[in-house]
Amino acid sequence: MTPSRKIIHCDCDCFYAAVEMRDDPSLRGRPLAVGGQPDQRGVVATCNYEARHFGVRSAMATSQALKRCPDLVVLPPAMEKYRVASRQILAIYRDYTDAVEPLSLDEAYLDVTSATHFKGSGTLIAQDIRARIAKTVGITASAGVAPNKFLSKIASDWNKPDGLFVIRPHEIDAFVAVLPVEKLFGVGKVTAAKLKRLGAHHCADLRNWSMGDLQHHFGKFGERLFDLCRGIDQRDVCATRERKSISVEETYVVDLPDLGACAQQLSVLLESLARSVQRLKS
């Protein structure tokens, strides 16, 4: 019998904002966002939990965030500072396993199935990682431990902030059955709305559908839904990930007046894209 995998998903709590509060303790307890300025069409990159209490969210226009929370402190991103913290965090992860799949500066999957630390206990490894991040980097991290990536990511969000949640193999069936369909990996607002129109509000509802029914309504993604609603996810933790695309973008402070003006900006964007491609090749 193949032993169950032990996958940890680690995610630092409001990472950019946490680093800023670490460096300036006077910001603690105040609503804080890191992002662009409202007069330059800025958006919120991340915000702390005090700001989230007012309905401020990542990717929200900064101007809208300030309407919801007039006392919001908005700081510009300090990316090099965040990268330094990220390197420290990744070094901690790699002390436990080489199978680390970074998803962003502060978030990663770890496969600790074969780890020898703490006699192979995924729970104790996750606890130790969180303690070391707090001591070394000065911020908190949440973690989820489960037999696959899908469940570990859900688990890491279960007790945020500064929390740990474990889903053991014998708990999977009951845990997943009551999950809302919007919690499924790859299910966005449109797909969730369609599922609910068809009478599927929780994973237990989806289990009544055959593979054919799901494929009929959702195409190839139906196969994925069939597995996920049963807590099945065979994806490996990939330490090396192939880049699938590259892009550039620009937010203009003043509206471009017409299609001709937009076309004139294409050459600038294409030059920027070419430079990015060249940097990746070098």
Side-chain angles (χ1 to χ4, degrees):
M1 182 177 177
T2 304
S4 177
R5 292 187 298 168
K6 298 174 185 177
I7 309 297
I8 300 173
H9 179 261
C10 273
D11 185 18
C12 295
D13 304 311
C14 53
F15 180 52
Y16 294 176
V19 173
E20 297 296 346
M21 291 186 290
R22 176 199 69 185
D23 293 347
D24 183 357
S26 71
L27 295 170
R28 294 173 184 169
R30 302 169 63 187
L32 170 68
V34 176
Q37 295 303 307
D39 59 348
Q40 298 177 353
R41 293 190 174 172
V43 297
V44 174
T46 191
C47 60
N48 64 4
Y49 285 88
E50 288 81 0
R52 294 179 194 188
H53 176 75
F54 291 90
V56 178
R57 294 288 183 270
S58 299
M60 176 181 286
T62 307
S63 57
Q64 179 63 31
L66 284 165
K67 288 179 182 178
R68 297 192 179 196
C69 180
D71 293 330
L72 184 69
V73 178
V74 181
L75 297 178
M79 294 308 302
E80 185 53 37
K81 181 163 61 174
Y82 308 149
R83 291 189 185 99
V84 170
S86 175
R87 288 192 287 270
Q88 292 177 299
I89 293 165
L90 283 173
I92 290 171
Y93 293 159
R94 289 176 175 136
D95 277 347
Y96 300 87
T97 176
D98 291 330
V100 177
E101 180 180 336
L103 302 178
S104 65
L105 289 179
D106 65 305
E107 179 185 5
Y109 288 112
L110 295 77
D111 188 332
V112 296
T113 307
S114 302
T116 56
H117 297 74
F118 301 101
K119 298 182 179 179
S121 168
T123 302
L124 294 179
I125 290 172
Q127 287 177 341
D128 200 53
I129 287 173
R130 292 176 56 247
R132 288 183 62 189
I133 289 174
K135 181 178 180 180
T136 304
V137 188
I139 62 176
T140 63
S142 295
V145 186
N148 60 52
K149 293 168 76 172
F150 160 56
L151 290 172
S152 66
K153 186 169 177 62
I154 289 177
S156 71
D157 197 45
W158 212 253
N159 284 331
K160 266 186 171 288
D162 195 18
L164 171 66
F165 190 74
V166 180
I167 304 172
R168 296 170 178 82
H170 68 275
E171 299 168 336
I172 292 176
D173 188 69
F175 179 85
V176 177
V178 296
L179 276 182
V181 291
E182 52 265 37
K183 289 286 189 181
L184 295 178
F185 179 77
V187 173
K189 290 182 179 179
V190 174
T191 304
K194 183 176 180 179
L195 283 164
K196 290 178 181 180
R197 285 198 303 271
L198 294 169
H201 295 266
H202 297 87
C203 287
D205 302 324
L206 272 181
R207 292 178 183 178
N208 295 322
W209 295 23
S210 68
M211 175 77 80
D213 290 336
L214 288 167
Q215 289 174 323
H216 172 73
H217 288 288
F218 300 98
K220 186 171 179 60
F221 186 57
E223 300 175 28
R224 189 89 174 113
L225 287 173
F226 186 87
D227 284 343
L228 290 179
C229 72
R230 292 165 172 79
I232 300 170
D233 180 12
Q234 303 293 350
R235 292 176 300 155
D236 291 326
V237 171
C238 300
T240 57
R241 302 176 69 190
E242 180 184 356
R243 180 183 285 273
K244 300 294 184 181
S245 65
I246 184 172
S247 64
V248 296
E249 62 181 35
E250 181 66 49
T251 300
Y252 299 97
V253 177
V254 178
D255 283 342
L256 298 177
D258 51 39
L259 188 59
C262 293
Q264 288 179 357
Q265 295 299 318
L266 284 177
S267 60
V268 178
L269 292 172
L270 285 170
E271 288 177 9
S272 177
L273 180 62
R275 289 194 296 270
S276 297
V277 171
Q278 190 59 43
R279 281 196 298 270
L280 287 172
K281 288 181 178 179
S282 60

